[in-house]
Amino acid sequence: MQIKTIALIGAGAIGAYFISCLTEKFQDNFWIIAEGERKARLEAEGIVINDQQYKLNVKAPAEAQGADLVIVGVKYGALASVLPMLEKIVAEHTLVISPMNGVDSEAVIGAHIGAEHMLPSFMFIASQRVGNSIKFNPAKTLGLTFGEEDGKPSAKTEALSAALDGTSFRYRVSDNINKAIWNKYALNISKNLPQAIINCGLGAYTDSEHLAYISQRMHDEVALVAAAKGIIVDPPKASKASPDARYSTLQDLDAKRETEIEMFSGALIKMAKELKLEVPFNEFAYHAIKCLEEKNAGKIR
């Protein structure tokens, strides 16, 4: 297996990192997938990443048929809408990664195109988006973590590693990818959501014993569900991010965008119900953030 062509679906926070790190190596063989008005806009405007303008090689899904690697980096709410795109792109040999937040995107995509195409992965990147401009600190970006569920090297992990080598792209191959994904999920739920409800910087978790308590209880609920699935989540670690940092859910609310609450607490609540477990802090967070979305949309006074 060798990766010579790459198709990226989603030119947001995750996609921007791939664009900035891989464009020089793959050049005309690195494609941004889009349709309709979005395709025309991306072709005309490109994207600005860390103050550098990038002209994008934009293709419709059918034009990218047979790509060696497909990267799905969309918001969770858009995942269902890109599944028909994947049908048009994926060939027998195509490798697909979905380094999105959450714990179920691989299962959703794999059920649609075949689990044999998937390689589990996730991203660590803290970015800010304003309009067509995305900024992140390359020196503090941990990048992509990926690996096979059995923890062993494979043709997929070796091919992806080779594709990323020789670039500024940061990555790590995990020997326990499911645990790593759930650790990231627990971090997102316990840090993303409480600060979004309170509307505060990351430093509030150390400034307020009350916010720290809420965060810990939400982390505990993720660990409870994970344990029922045979996955042991690590205890929470102190964040190295700036005390003023505003994670993605709060950024979405600030910009009056829909959040990824369905992927965070929404998915956890569904899993907990299936397992007959209680996750009351996440149930509250889910409904609280739904209310904030409604407020932003002018649906409530």
Side-chain angles (χ1 to χ4, degrees):
M1 178 181 287
Q2 185 177 6
I3 295 172
K4 296 181 179 179
T5 55
I6 299 176
L8 169 66
I9 304 176
I14 291 174
Y17 188 67
F18 283 88
I19 292 167
S20 66
C21 295
L22 301 183
T23 294
E24 183 176 356
K25 179 175 180 177
F26 286 89
Q27 298 186 25
D28 290 342
N29 289 322
F30 185 87
W31 312 323
I32 311 301
I33 307 303
E35 297 176 304
E37 182 276 332
R38 178 172 172 77
K39 182 176 186 290
R41 177 168 52 81
L42 289 173
E43 287 174 328
E45 299 178 5
I47 191 172
V48 179
I49 305 171
N50 290 337
D51 298 321
Q52 180 178 344
Q53 177 75 43
Y54 286 82
K55 181 175 174 58
L56 303 176
N57 185 2
V58 188
K59 288 183 178 288
E63 296 174 314
Q65 202 280 330
D68 297 322
L69 171 66
V70 179
I71 304 155
V72 182
V74 298
K75 286 279 192 179
Y76 189 76
L79 181 56
S81 68
V82 305
L83 295 178
M85 292 185 179
L86 287 165
E87 286 184 354
K88 296 176 183 178
I89 300 170
V90 172
E92 184 177 351
H93 70 282
T94 303
L95 170 64
V96 180
I97 61 171
S98 58
M100 303 162 56
N101 288 323
V103 293
D104 64 348
S105 66
E106 281 93 0
V108 171
I109 296 171
H112 200 77
I113 62 167
E116 68 275 11
H117 293 284
M118 304 304 300
L119 180 65
S121 66
F122 66 92
M123 280 285 292
F124 266 121
I125 184 168
S127 63
Q128 294 279 342
R129 178 165 197 160
V130 179
N132 193 40
S133 176
I134 297 175
K135 290 187 178 182
F136 58 86
N137 186 336
K140 293 185 177 181
T141 298
L142 298 180
L144 183 72
T145 298
F146 58 89
E148 296 284 9
E149 290 190 1
D150 63 7
K152 298 178 181 179
S154 69
K156 294 177 184 177
T157 60
E158 291 173 0
L160 184 53
S161 297
L164 303 178
D165 286 343
T167 74
S168 59
F169 199 104
R170 293 186 172 187
Y171 73 90
R172 182 175 73 89
V173 182
S174 173
D175 60 4
N176 195 340
I177 190 63
N178 285 333
K179 178 174 181 174
I181 288 173
W182 275 83
N183 278 337
K184 170 78 183 300
Y185 188 50
L187 173 67
N188 267 319
I189 282 181
S190 63
K191 299 302 183 186
N192 240 318
L193 306 187
Q195 78 153 185
I197 296 169
I198 304 302
N199 190 3
C200 59
L202 190 63
Y205 289 106
T206 54
D207 295 338
S208 169
E209 64 178 291
H210 307 293
L211 193 62
Y213 177 86
I214 294 169
S215 176
Q216 182 64 59
R217 297 290 79 76
M218 294 185 73
H219 190 283
D220 290 345
E221 290 178 358
V222 178
L224 177 69
V225 173
K229 292 177 171 287
I231 299 167
I232 304 303
V233 171
D234 291 333
K237 298 178 181 178
S239 174
K240 296 180 181 179
S242 165
D244 297 325
R246 298 167 79 84
Y247 284 158
S248 62
T249 303
L250 185 49
Q251 286 187 44
D252 286 339
L253 291 173
D254 286 343
K256 298 187 184 301
R257 297 187 294 256
E258 286 190 0
T259 72
E260 293 185 306
I261 188 61
E262 295 291 351
M263 177 183 63
F264 291 139
S265 292
L268 189 75
I269 292 165
K270 290 178 182 178
M271 288 184 280
K273 287 182 178 178
E274 291 171 359
L275 295 164
K276 295 181 169 51
L277 299 173
E278 298 292 331
V279 287
F281 280 82
N282 274 276
E283 288 183 354
F284 172 79
Y286 175 85
H287 291 290
I289 290 175
K290 280 294 187 180
C291 285
L292 291 171
E293 289 181 341
E294 290 177 336
K295 184 179 178 182
N296 276 344
K299 296 180 179 179
I300 58 176
R301 291 175 286 179

